Amino acid sequence: MTDHLELLPIAREAVATAHRIIRSRMPLSVMAKGERDMVTDVDLAVEDAVRGFLARETPEIGIVGEERGRTGSDGDALWWALDPVDGTANFARGIPLCAVSLALVKGVNSVLAAIDLPFLGVRYTAAAGHGAYLGDQRIRASETRDLSEAMISIGDFAVGPDAETKNRVRMTLLARLGGQAQRIRMIGTAAIDLAWVAEGRLDASIILANQPWDTMAGVLLVREAGGLVLDQDDTPHTATSAATIALSPALRTPIMTALRHAQQ
């Protein structure tokens, strides 16, 4: 298949499958999978169901999922990037801010995206060159120009090796932006952060990390909505970037300047 748009109905049905599972059951078990990181039985059930569906519908396309890793092709080939429940910590505590995130990636850039927010009842989709949508309504990133009017989300704190150094940057950035922006938020799910930048609810999202299953769907949404997504060195974001910084184009200079100061 050369027209990736033809695969969008498959992406929609995949996240609809996930939506149905998440809404039909609460997590019965929460298991540690790393330092202050967790997975529930629902995460695993969703990933297995979506993997099975995608394997049947697109057997020639590889899959990278948060819980089960990579299967199938890699390199420049097409691959699906799946986070079955982005925001597991929220989900496990009954906080309704979580999402199913699915992107079709060619090489290091997304070409299709579907993000479903099961407890908020909304679904976002995008296809490269065809715009970003909330349901059937086209969405646009904000045009906020002044940092004092900006609502900015910050990604979760780092864990693991060198976390203290990484979190020192986050704390410095929080202090700097907290004194200048209209509001700072920490939502706890990259997929929602990015979807809300695409929709204009947020003016920027600064995630100083980049896991493809978390970010690749939201990155395409933001770009198709007219926003920018950058790495921490101010270059265009890809699947191999170190960070995921999405923003209104007019906020590029003040936000990237604040980040550079925080990293010094």
Side-chain angles (χ1 to χ4, degrees):
M1 300 178 187
T2 57
D3 187 357
H4 304 129
L5 190 60
E6 293 182 0
L7 296 177
L8 189 55
I10 293 174
R12 287 196 185 103
E13 182 55 35
V15 297
T17 297
H19 175 109
R20 290 190 290 269
I21 296 171
I22 293 169
R23 289 305 306 260
S24 68
R25 55 191 283 190
M26 292 301 294
L28 298 177
S29 64
V30 180
M31 299 155 280
K33 65 174 185 178
E35 183 183 347
R36 290 187 287 141
D37 197 6
M38 66 191 72
V39 60
T40 74
D41 57 313
V42 178
D43 294 68
L44 298 174
V46 169
E47 180 153 336
D48 289 344
V50 173
R51 277 180 175 272
F53 172 77
L54 293 174
R56 292 189 300 272
E57 296 295 325
T58 57
E60 72 282 10
I61 300 177
I63 304 171
V64 176
E66 178 173 12
E67 309 306 340
R68 304 297 193 191
R70 177 183 288 275
T71 56
S73 58
D74 56 9
D76 290 334
L78 290 172
W79 48 285
W80 295 106
L82 168 67
D83 193 335
V85 182
D86 185 42
T88 297
N90 287 348
F91 174 62
R93 289 183 175 251
I95 298 170
L97 295 177
C98 64
V100 183
S101 180
L102 179 67
L104 181 64
V105 186
K106 181 174 176 56
V108 295
N109 292 295
S110 308
V111 293
L112 290 179
I115 293 177
D116 187 278
L117 281 52
F119 298 107
L120 301 186
V122 296
R123 183 173 302 154
Y124 300 86
T125 57
H130 294 275
Y133 290 84
L134 169 57
D136 295 327
Q137 179 181 355
R138 190 157 185 171
I139 56 176
R140 298 290 300 176
S142 86
E143 297 180 357
T144 298
R145 307 184 65 84
D146 193 328
L147 197 57
S148 67
E149 298 176 355
M151 180 84 76
I152 301 172
S153 68
I154 302 289
D156 288 338
F157 285 93
V159 297
D162 205 28
E164 183 177 351
T165 299
K166 293 176 181 177
N167 287 329
R168 192 177 302 119
V169 173
R170 287 165 171 78
M171 291 301 296
T172 303
L173 186 63
L174 277 169
R176 188 176 184 90
L177 290 178
Q180 298 178 52
Q182 184 182 81
R183 290 292 187 277
I184 301 294
R185 296 289 181 257
M186 185 175 282
I187 295 165
T189 151
I192 293 181
D193 284 346
L194 295 168
W196 283 357
V197 171
E199 193 184 353
R201 289 177 178 235
L202 295 170
D203 302 295
S205 170
I206 303 171
I207 304 166
L208 297 181
N210 180 41
Q211 299 291 355
W213 47 82
D214 287 336
T215 61
M216 293 309 290
V219 166
L220 183 62
L221 281 174
V222 173
R223 286 177 170 158
E224 288 296 314
L228 290 177
V229 192
L230 307 168
D231 198 352
Q232 62 185 2
D233 61 358
D234 209 6
T235 59
H237 179 279
T238 72
T240 60
S241 292
T244 309
I245 302 162
L247 37 70
S248 163
L251 293 175
R252 181 176 190 166
T253 296
I255 286 180
M256 298 309 292
T257 298
L259 178 58
R260 282 196 301 272
H261 282 298
Q263 292 171 324
Q264 292 175 354

